[in-house]
Amino acid sequence: MERLWWHDAVIYHVYPRSFLDTDGDGVGDLPGVRRRLPYLARLGVDALWLSPFFASPMADFGYDVSDHTAVDPLFGSLADFDELLDAAHGNGLRVLIDYVPNHTSDRHRWFRDARADPAGPRRDWYVWRDPSPGGGPPNNWITLFGDSAWTREEAGGQYYLHSFLPSMPDLNWRNPAVQEAMFDVARFWLDRGVDGFRVDCAPLIAKDPLLRDNPPAATGTSAHHRDLGGFDSQLHLHDQGHPDLHPRYRDLRALLDSYGEPGERIALGEVHEYDWPAWSRYFGRDLDELNLPINFGLLGTDWHPEAIRTTVRAILDAVPAGAVVTWVMGSHDDPRVASRVGPAQAANAMLLLLTLPGTAILYNGDELGMPDAAVPPERIRDPWGLRTPALSRDHARSPMPWSPDSPSCGFTFTGVEPWLPLTTPPGGTVRDQEADPSSLLSLTRDLLALRRASAALHGAGLAFLDSPPGVLAYTRSPGPGSPPGAGGDLLVTLNLTDQAVPLDHLLPPRPSGGPWRRVFTTARTRDAAHTGQGALAPAEGAVWSAGDGGGPHRT
């Protein structure tokens, strides 16, 4: 199959509110993203994905869209976006933006029309129902926050559906006018030159048309990688993932493929589905739906070799032939990688992410080893966290620390307080880590260079090896038809313990004889790397080459 740009890309996820503030209001903006594009180009990623920057009341920080084709003044202007897009392309970076199809803000003109005129043409653009026969909501569906998914309008007495906040009413995708209106939104941004979309909450656009109640979940069970409180009290069989969504995503894919060569413009899909065969259906039977349904399996997997092997195997087994899997280790909705696995293992987490077959999404700040920020109760901004502080997503959204010479670590150029508290990783700010060849940032750059240079890391072949307790080991193989001199197999070894592991029984015999050659190590000092001549150092990850190629060294 023809290799397209996204088949083994590394996509850098930018949360604009927390990237760089250039206008002194304490909130990051689009000019700030543009100013840091050279940083992303030096890092070596292939694309950036921007979380929402659209006009919004900011009840959920931009996911409550009030105008899909306008930039919120908090982030700049449409001209600022165009300049960012041109500059990104000039730096060799593709640009993906969020696409929020499930709902709008209640201040969107569509919902204002629907609310004002029950007999009007836009009423059916949203999901309205009469009360249940006994009074009350039409069914038992609940929001992600654990509240009823229905809000009653005093005027007329009907309820409208919302999967999130009451100020975020769900669109009715069974109305063809809604699909066409949302596809017009996609055309607006495609015409400006974006390279694709990250589809927010992809399973939600199609619910059970009969609005059947969700059954209760068994006590102590959850399909999600983290406990979502009241939301996990139900099995969400009827309020998402109805088969009617597949024709909609085939239509979206056809729209994307109509811009330039098929496959050039893409759709990432946020698919929080942990039944992997069900997750894989979002590719489409003929790989004609979402190009890259994101899997979130590694976000909740125990940091133990057997658990990681089991998760990765299950996901790879579910991927249809010819499809490309997408991996994430960090997200703006989840605890930071360095806090989940511990700072000593953050480099191994990066090595795992960037040596698995397929596409990788790197969340801004994870290349620095940023931990979760300490956010006191009075500073919580996340609407979820305001209801349930333990579920607050603010901890993972702390502003980027760019330099050590200001109270805001270079995030804002004035004395204003950033919108969330700052945290500085153990290795320091971006400027600190750029000057330190042993930093996680420097390691990530070297690893991305190795990924680009190695045919094995572009291939689909992965085989896990038997390994000592606490060590994850696997080989990566070049795909068929790799050019001569591109290098042979690579072996990846991750020591997930705090003890040195002898190499005697870890490195398998090479088919061609001779020793394995270390081409990359996460060891922070030459002394630690030297230990690796006979052992993997504590928490060391290494890449070994079976051929004369293999790209740059980090030893």
Side-chain angles (χ1 to χ4, degrees):
M1 187 177 71
E2 179 189 1
R3 302 294 295 177
L4 297 170
W5 70 266
W6 45 272
H7 281 182
D8 44 34
V10 177
I11 300 169
Y12 188 91
H13 174 196
V14 174
Y15 193 67
R17 294 183 69 93
S18 296
F19 207 57
L20 182 67
D21 169 30
T22 63
D23 60 7
D25 62 0
V27 176
D29 45 50
L30 295 180
V33 178
R34 178 167 57 86
R35 188 173 298 185
R36 295 305 187 200
L37 289 174
Y39 166 76
L40 299 184
R42 291 195 306 273
L43 185 61
V45 297
D46 301 287
L48 63 149
W49 147 36
L50 295 166
S51 283
F53 50 83
F54 316 112
S56 167
M58 298 296 161
D60 193 18
F61 299 122
Y63 285 94
D64 51 321
V65 180
S66 58
D67 188 339
H68 292 90
T69 58
V71 172
D72 195 277
L74 186 70
F75 298 115
S77 66
L78 196 55
D80 289 325
F81 175 80
D82 290 339
E83 291 176 8
L84 164 59
L85 183 62
D86 289 345
H89 288 162
N91 278 275
L93 297 166
R94 312 269 182 157
V95 177
L96 310 176
I97 66 173
D98 250 272
Y99 182 70
V100 186
N102 177 70
H103 51 267
T104 69
S105 167
D106 61 355
R107 301 187 196 178
H108 199 293
R109 66 185 184 279
W110 300 345
F111 190 72
R112 291 202 307 266
D113 289 348
R115 172 178 265 167
D117 186 359
R122 282 192 172 144
R123 183 72 168 188
D124 191 46
W125 283 36
Y126 295 85
V127 182
W128 298 86
R129 290 295 186 274
D130 292 328
S132 63
N139 63 24
N140 73 342
W141 294 355
I142 56 178
T143 73
L144 201 64
F145 307 113
D147 306 319
S148 173
W150 298 92
T151 290
R152 185 176 182 271
E153 286 280 273
E154 291 301 324
Q158 282 196 314
Y159 285 83
Y160 66 87
L161 178 66
H162 51 89
S163 297
F164 299 96
L165 298 172
S167 59
M168 300 162 66
D170 283 15
L171 287 163
N172 174 22
W173 272 75
R174 288 196 170 82
N175 184 332
V178 169
Q179 175 168 318
E180 190 59 26
M182 285 304 300
F183 280 13
D184 281 344
V185 170
R187 292 183 186 100
F188 176 87
W189 295 105
L190 290 166
D191 288 341
R192 301 195 90 81
V194 301
D195 299 286
F197 303 102
R198 176 266 197 184
V199 180
D200 181 63
C201 298
L204 289 181
I205 66 167
K207 290 95 169 170
D208 175 27
L210 300 178
L211 301 184
R212 288 172 287 186
D213 281 355
N214 283 327
T219 303
T221 63
S222 171
H224 302 89
H225 62 265
R226 58 188 298 209
D227 182 4
L228 300 183
F231 186 74
D232 284 333
S233 67
Q234 296 181 354
L235 295 177
H236 293 271
L237 301 183
H238 302 306
D239 56 354
Q240 61 184 0
H242 190 276
D244 283 354
L245 60 76
H246 295 291
R248 275 79 183 177
Y249 286 130
R250 282 195 293 274
D251 290 346
L252 177 62
R253 178 66 172 273
L255 172 62
L256 290 165
D257 285 347
S258 71
Y259 279 78
E261 293 296 319
E264 279 297 302
R265 311 290 184 95
I266 67 166
L268 292 172
E270 183 189 21
V271 181
H272 284 285
E273 172 62 74
Y274 302 93
D275 174 335
W276 302 119
W279 161 79
S280 72
R281 296 187 191 114
Y282 287 81
F283 288 103
R285 290 183 180 178
D286 299 313
L287 304 185
D288 56 353
E289 295 182 33
L290 299 177
N291 305 79
L292 297 172
I294 303 169
N295 88 79
F296 294 91
L298 291 175
L299 288 178
T301 298
D302 290 339
W303 197 241
H304 183 274
E306 185 55 40
I308 296 169
R309 279 193 295 267
T310 299
T311 297
V312 171
R313 281 174 172 153
I315 292 167
L316 291 177
D317 286 347
V319 176
V324 176
V325 67
T326 303
W327 306 96
V328 295
M329 287 292 294
S331 154
H332 68 296
D333 287 331
D334 296 277
R336 284 278 187 180
V337 178
S339 292
R340 293 202 318 270
V341 305
Q345 289 289 334
N348 273 335
M350 185 66 71
L351 182 55
L352 176 65
L353 174 68
L354 297 181
T355 57
L356 289 173
T359 297
I361 297 176
L362 173 57
Y363 177 46
N364 63 213
D366 283 349
E367 75 276 17
L368 306 175
M370 282 182 67
D372 285 339
V375 182
E378 66 273 13
R379 292 291 305 277
I380 290 176
R381 303 286 300 277
D382 176 25
W384 201 356
L386 290 171
R387 288 163 172 76
T388 310
L391 294 177
S392 176
R393 298 166 292 183
D394 289 334
H395 308 286
R397 298 174 176 180
S398 180
M400 283 282 286
W402 293 101
S403 63
D405 52 5
S406 75
S408 70
C409 293
F411 168 69
T412 183
F413 297 98
T414 67
V416 69
E417 186 175 50
W419 77 287
L420 281 177
L422 288 151
T423 185
T424 303
T429 67
V430 169
R431 185 189 298 175
D432 296 325
Q433 295 199 32
E434 284 185 322
D436 179 3
S438 69
S439 70
L440 182 56
L441 175 58
S442 296
L443 178 151
T444 301
R445 284 181 179 163
D446 289 348
L447 184 52
L448 285 164
L450 174 63
R451 181 181 171 104
R452 288 193 302 275
S454 169
L457 296 180
H458 289 256
L462 179 146
F464 286 106
L465 305 179
D466 292 334
S467 55
V471 175
L472 181 68
Y474 50 93
T475 57
R476 293 295 316 280
S477 305
S482 296
D489 288 0
L490 292 180
L491 168 66
V492 181
T493 56
L494 302 175
N495 183 359
L496 306 188
T497 77
D498 59 1
Q499 303 293 319
V501 177
L503 295 176
D504 298 358
H505 304 294
L506 176 59
L507 301 181
R510 284 181 53 195
S512 58
W516 287 90
R517 184 170 64 94
R518 187 195 309 264
V519 295
F520 184 89
T521 177
T522 65
R524 290 293 198 263
T525 67
R526 290 191 177 276
D527 288 342
H530 181 72
T531 303
Q533 298 302 318
L536 274 182
E540 181 187 2
V543 181
W544 310 79
S545 173
D548 294 331
H553 294 212
R554 182 190 173 87
T555 58

